[in-house]
Amino acid sequence: MIKKKCIAMLLAGGQGSRLGLLTKVMAKPAVPFGGKFRIIDFPLSNCANSHIDTVGVLTQYQPLELNRYIGNGAPWDLDLSSGGVFVLPPYMKAKSGEWYRGTANAIYQNISFIEQYDPEYVLILSGDHIYKMDYNKMLEAHINGGADVTIAVRPVPMEVASSFGIMNIDEQDHIIEFEEKPKVPKSNLASMGVYIFTWKMLRQYLIDDENDPNSKNDFGKNIIPKMLNDGRVMLAYRFTDYWKDVGTIASLWEANMDLLKVPPEFDLTDDRWSIYARTPVMPPHYIGENAKAERSMIAEGCEVFGTVEGSVLFAGVEVAEGATVEDSVIMPGTRIEAGAVVRRAIVSENCVISKGCIVGEPEGDIALVGQDTVLPENYAVRAGEQIDNSVISGREAE
């Protein structure tokens, strides 16, 4: 193998339970986003645009869809003979095998993969954030600062800071204190889950952590605090552009709606930093004679004969005449029949919203319809409800 200055390890094995039915049959990074992408496209595209050409993708929960989607890495120019993208699930060793127990354990179990490339630095990424970032600039800051670890941070509103790992820093942006989801945060600089480590040092910390029977084997809970206590040079890298943790139904819906604002809060049209994806080969979308489509993103293969306003439609969605879709996200292959109304909702892949159905309400929490669900005619899904075929069958049996 060719020696690499920096390789990336992308943590993509989380269950994503806060996304409810959306992650019932797929890992969170495989969830569709923005009309033609999946969440994992964003860190993979960031790596491609940053010329980091060796990426290990650590999968675990419901990996089939994610593995199929990544394939050989061609959409992100990561189908290389001297690098590329590698799917790294847990595997059986000579004496035993086990699931990844935490983020640090996941990297520890893949030390042999990393050492094939003898990197000076390792970039650790999360697979569930929407953002554009030049990792080379962060690496340059890490090297120039003589850091052992550099953590990307971004200001968040103080009222939500307790949901994040919070960094307290000095005048030189050195991290002097780390608080994991503090009840009373001292600052609003939240960790983005993007780390650059000097590899030789991280390797030793991973080994020591693995030998600690009391460790949770987690970067935020164990590795980072231990390095801080040991007086290692820890640098905060400030990031001020768009970044969204789409780990909840509400935040996923909000991030999709951000694309529709004028100007968009997150611009997918900037060809200076393209987002790449594996997209279906389908004919152009079609808007019928009596259709109405306003302030929406409508992907290839869609057929719209009804009304679509302020919504994101993925490939192959059908909206029948007399149907209405407002402020919603409709994922690939879904059919919305005549007279159905979908408002403030996320409808997953390959669903049928039958005639007369009402999904969601003009106000309240986001309604969710799970993958492959067929709603019976005139069925109602209230604000905040999550419905799939099993829920419908249960109700019909009562």
Side-chain angles (χ1 to χ4, degrees):
M1 290 291 183
I2 297 175
K3 178 178 173 61
K4 302 287 183 177
K5 181 177 182 180
C6 180
I7 71 169
M9 300 293 281
L10 203 167
L11 299 165
Q15 181 175 352
S17 57
R18 294 181 299 162
L19 284 174
L21 295 176
L22 287 177
T23 51
K24 186 175 182 179
V25 295
M26 70 177 71
K28 180 165 53 173
V31 170
F33 175 82
K36 65 179 296 180
F37 306 100
R38 294 181 185 262
I39 296 171
I40 198 170
D41 287 326
F42 294 86
L44 284 178
S45 296
N46 288 340
C47 286
N49 290 323
S50 301
H51 305 293
I52 294 175
D53 62 8
T54 304
V55 184
V57 180
L58 284 66
T59 62
Q60 179 160 284
Y61 172 79
Q62 293 283 12
L64 181 61
E65 179 66 18
L66 192 60
N67 294 356
R68 181 203 63 79
Y69 184 74
I70 293 172
N72 66 352
W76 308 275
D77 281 337
L78 291 172
D79 52 337
L80 308 174
S81 59
S82 60
V85 62
F86 301 85
V87 176
L88 303 171
Y91 60 92
M92 292 294 294
K93 303 177 181 64
K95 295 182 179 179
S96 65
E98 59 185 354
W99 294 110
Y100 296 144
R101 297 193 305 275
T103 54
N105 174 258
I107 303 299
Y108 170 82
Q109 288 199 40
N110 288 283
I111 285 178
S112 59
F113 168 80
I114 296 171
E115 291 193 324
Q116 291 180 90
Y117 299 97
D118 190 24
E120 297 175 55
Y121 309 101
V122 172
L123 170 67
I124 310 291
L125 304 170
S126 297
D128 51 6
H129 301 148
I130 303 298
Y131 66 114
K132 298 178 184 177
M133 184 178 184
D134 187 342
Y135 300 135
N136 273 325
K137 291 183 179 179
M138 183 175 172
L139 180 58
E140 183 179 350
H142 177 86
I143 295 170
N144 292 341
D148 298 311
V149 58
T150 299
I151 302 174
V153 298
R154 190 187 187 284
V156 298
M158 276 306 277
E159 58 267 24
V160 299
S162 59
S163 300
F164 296 90
I166 296 298
M167 306 291 161
N168 301 314
I169 62 177
D170 63 16
E171 295 80 4
Q172 286 77 43
D173 286 343
H174 289 124
I175 298 167
I176 57 176
E177 187 178 10
F178 172 75
E179 300 177 282
E180 178 69 15
K181 298 182 179 180
K183 292 183 178 179
V184 184
K186 298 176 184 177
S187 83
N188 67 335
L189 284 181
S191 168
M192 294 170 57
V194 177
Y195 314 121
I196 292 179
F197 290 91
T198 300
W199 170 238
K200 287 183 179 180
M201 181 164 292
L202 174 60
R203 184 182 186 280
Q204 189 58 53
Y205 273 89
L206 291 173
I207 293 170
D208 293 344
D209 181 73
E210 189 66 20
N211 291 328
D212 180 358
N214 298 316
S215 176
K216 299 292 185 182
N217 305 123
D218 185 82
F219 279 106
K221 295 175 182 177
N222 304 107
I223 300 292
I224 304 289
K226 182 68 166 60
M227 294 183 77
L228 189 63
N229 290 338
D230 290 347
R232 301 301 181 187
V233 180
M234 304 181 68
L235 188 66
Y237 179 76
R238 295 174 182 265
F239 184 77
T240 56
D241 292 337
Y242 186 94
W243 174 81
K244 194 96 166 183
D245 181 340
V246 287
T248 66
I249 293 167
S251 63
L252 179 66
W253 178 85
E254 289 168 1
N256 276 278
M257 295 300 105
D258 286 344
L259 303 174
L260 304 178
K261 295 177 180 177
V262 182
E265 287 197 27
F266 186 62
D267 186 6
L268 292 174
T269 65
D270 184 2
D271 57 10
R272 294 171 299 179
W273 199 268
S274 297
I275 302 301
Y276 305 101
R278 187 180 297 279
T279 56
V281 178
M282 301 184 76
H285 67 259
Y286 177 78
I287 308 296
E289 181 180 3
N290 299 316
K292 178 183 178 183
E294 296 183 351
R295 199 174 53 83
S296 296
M297 301 179 77
I298 301 175
E300 59 265 55
C302 289
E303 296 183 355
V304 177
F305 298 93
T307 298
V308 177
E309 297 182 0
S311 296
V312 176
L313 272 57
F314 285 75
V317 169
E318 300 177 25
V319 180
E321 188 167 354
T324 299
V325 178
E326 295 178 356
D327 302 325
S328 294
V329 179
I330 313 298
M331 294 183 179
T334 285
R335 185 171 79 250
I336 300 172
E337 297 184 345
V341 177
V342 180
R343 291 192 178 99
R344 286 178 60 82
I346 297 176
V347 181
S348 194
E349 300 178 55
N350 303 316
C351 294
V352 177
I353 310 302
S354 300
K355 295 177 181 179
C357 287
I358 298 176
V359 178
E361 300 176 45
E363 298 180 353
D365 292 336
I366 305 305
L368 174 63
V369 179
Q371 185 169 324
D372 299 318
T373 300
V374 179
L375 295 186
E377 290 188 8
N378 303 311
Y379 196 92
V381 182
R382 295 185 295 272
E385 273 195 297
Q386 297 189 33
I387 299 293
D388 66 1
N389 289 323
S390 65
V391 174
I392 294 168
S393 298
R395 288 183 179 178
E396 290 175 344
E398 291 176 356

